[in-house]
Amino acid sequence: MERNILSQTIDYLRFPLTVGVVLIHFNISGGFLTHGRIYGGEGMPYWYHIIITLFSDVLPLISVPLFFFFSGFLFFYRAEWSIATYKRKLTNRVHTLLLPYLLWNILAIAKISLGYLPFFAKIYPMAGRAGVNLSFSAIVYSFWDCRRSVFAPLIVDANGVVNRICPIDGPLWFVRDLMIVIICTPLVYALTKRIGRLLPILLGLAWYFTGPYNLGYSHQILVAPFFFSWGAYYSIRRLDFTLVFRKMPSFLPALYVVFVVIDIFTKGWSYNAYIDNAGIMLGVISIVIVTASLLDRGKISVNHFLAGSSFFVFALHQLILHSLGVIIITHIRSDSPYFLIVFYFLVPSVTILISLLLYKALNRFAPACASLLTGGR
């Protein structure tokens, strides 16, 4: 495998994919709810919804699947598989995944709890929330599914509880599900050696055709094994996926653009989930083809600071994103679609900038802390 373009492709895409995740989590097409009022939403011009749908509900949908794909590939990369290798990799993932996962969720619990203190409530009004439940049960459950507890969730109000099954630091459902799949890697390896590409094909079909059905976590959890096993297949078979993808028909990126347009204009339709999933598949392949080709021709290069900061931004952004939006909208209460479009791009941009500055400061003044929070990345 050609390590240079392969590794550069993975490194280059880390940050843009993270930006995609931030935009997913600031989808205000249906409005921004705070202070008991929805800003935007109904009555907004059609172009307003198209822009937000494109950047929050179409293009970035490849982000988490591609992160799983890369994780599967890298887990088996240049590894002679054995029980000793498995144990070594599990030990390594305790430091790179489990410890940061625990620390970021602890920070999320602390941030939410502080938000209810009178001093912080003046700075960031916790509009629409009745209070916080810091019972042992609520805190324990918040590391896995922040909606659940024996008595009540950690956030005592439906407005503050996410719809998907996520830990309290919502984006880290990716890390949680990744850890589950990693525990099952001996099975992934054995099946890949035995049936080859049939494993990701079967998992991919299950993921694709269950898309339109409301299966809750049953569908959500299919994302990880499918894309992880797809990436693992290339690594176990000693194949460079950038070369494999670049040998595919050259019209695939153009076809992806067609699917993007169709996806935008079919949102809300019963079969849109099939278009979504087909677009994700095409998008994963297309973004790798385009990025690897541009890197190979020297048109773009890896920014190692941005690549290195990706996990930090990924884990931190949700602790800032909505709070920053509330602070801005508190001072500029406007339903103007032009203001809200600026607001839509401004809040994620400032959130990312704050995250990058904090990452740089931690690396300079507290490198050990930065290493713990990023798993040594």
Side-chain angles (χ1 to χ4, degrees), residues 13-23 63 67 310-311 313-314:
L13 285 173
R14 291 185 195 276
F15 187 74
L17 295 176
T18 300
V19 172
V21 172
V22 178
L23 288 170
S63 294
F67 278 138
S310 297
F311 183 80
V313 177
F314 181 89

Side-chain angles (χ1 to χ4, degrees), residues 211-233:
Y213 302 101
N214 184 18
L215 302 177
Y217 188 54
S218 298
H219 178 257
Q220 179 183 328
I221 203 171
L222 285 171
V223 178
F226 165 43
F227 287 97
F228 185 93
S229 67
W230 187 14
Y233 166 78

Side-chain angles (χ1 to χ4, degrees), residues 4 115 139 226 270 308 335 349:
N4 190 34
I139 291 173
F226 165 43
S270 58
D335 275 321
S349 298

Side-chain angles (χ1 to χ4, degrees), residues 54 57-63 250-264 275-288 290:
L54 174 64
D57 204 17
V58 177
L59 291 178
L61 294 185
I62 67 169
S63 294
S250 59
F251 61 79
L252 286 183
L255 182 61
Y256 172 58
V257 173
V258 173
F259 265 82
V260 165
V261 175
I262 295 172
D263 195 1
I264 291 172
I275 296 172
D276 258 356
N277 288 351
I280 290 169
M281 294 283 293
L282 281 170
V284 164
I285 296 169
S286 298
I287 195 68
V288 169
V290 171

Side-chain angles (χ1 to χ4, degrees), residues 47-179:
W47 59 262
Y48 170 88
H49 293 289
I50 288 176
I51 291 173
I52 296 176
T53 298
L54 174 64
F55 288 103
S56 279
D57 204 17
V58 177
L59 291 178
L61 294 185
I62 67 169
S63 294
V64 171
L66 199 44
F67 278 138
F68 279 125
F69 180 94
F70 289 157
S71 298
F73 182 85
L74 293 172
F75 190 86
F76 293 98
Y77 185 70
R78 289 183 174 175
E80 295 299 327
W81 193 252
S82 65
I83 296 299
T85 300
Y86 177 61
K87 290 180 178 178
R88 175 174 56 80
K89 285 184 173 288
L90 281 187
T91 302
N92 177 260
R93 266 50 180 194
V94 169
H95 299 287
T96 60
L97 294 176
L98 179 59
L99 185 56
Y101 178 83
L102 295 174
L103 290 174
W104 281 108
N105 280 303
I106 289 170
L107 288 174
I109 293 170
K111 182 257 182 182
I112 290 169
S113 303
L114 287 173
Y116 289 95
L117 296 178
F119 172 76
F120 291 100
K122 292 178 182 178
I123 302 173
Y124 170 47
M126 305 292 280
R129 296 182 183 176
V132 62
N133 168 29
L134 293 178
S135 70
F136 177 77
S137 170
I139 291 173
V140 169
Y141 269 113
S142 69
F143 283 88
W144 182 267
D145 174 8
C146 61
R147 302 176 307 169
R148 295 182 60 199
S149 170
V150 173
F151 300 108
L154 186 137
I155 301 172
V156 190
D157 190 87
N159 290 337
V161 180
V162 295
N163 292 322
R164 303 189 77 182
I165 297 176
C166 301
I168 198 67
D169 188 0
L172 295 187
W173 74 264
F174 161 77
V175 177
R176 180 200 60 202
D177 288 13
L178 178 59
M179 291 189 290

Side-chain angles (χ1 to χ4, degrees), residues 43 71 104 121 130 150 186 199 201 209 219 245-246 307 323 362 366:
S71 298
W104 281 108
V150 173
L199 175 62
I201 288 173
F209 286 106
H219 178 257
F245 288 178
R246 289 168 73 184
S323 303
L362 277 176

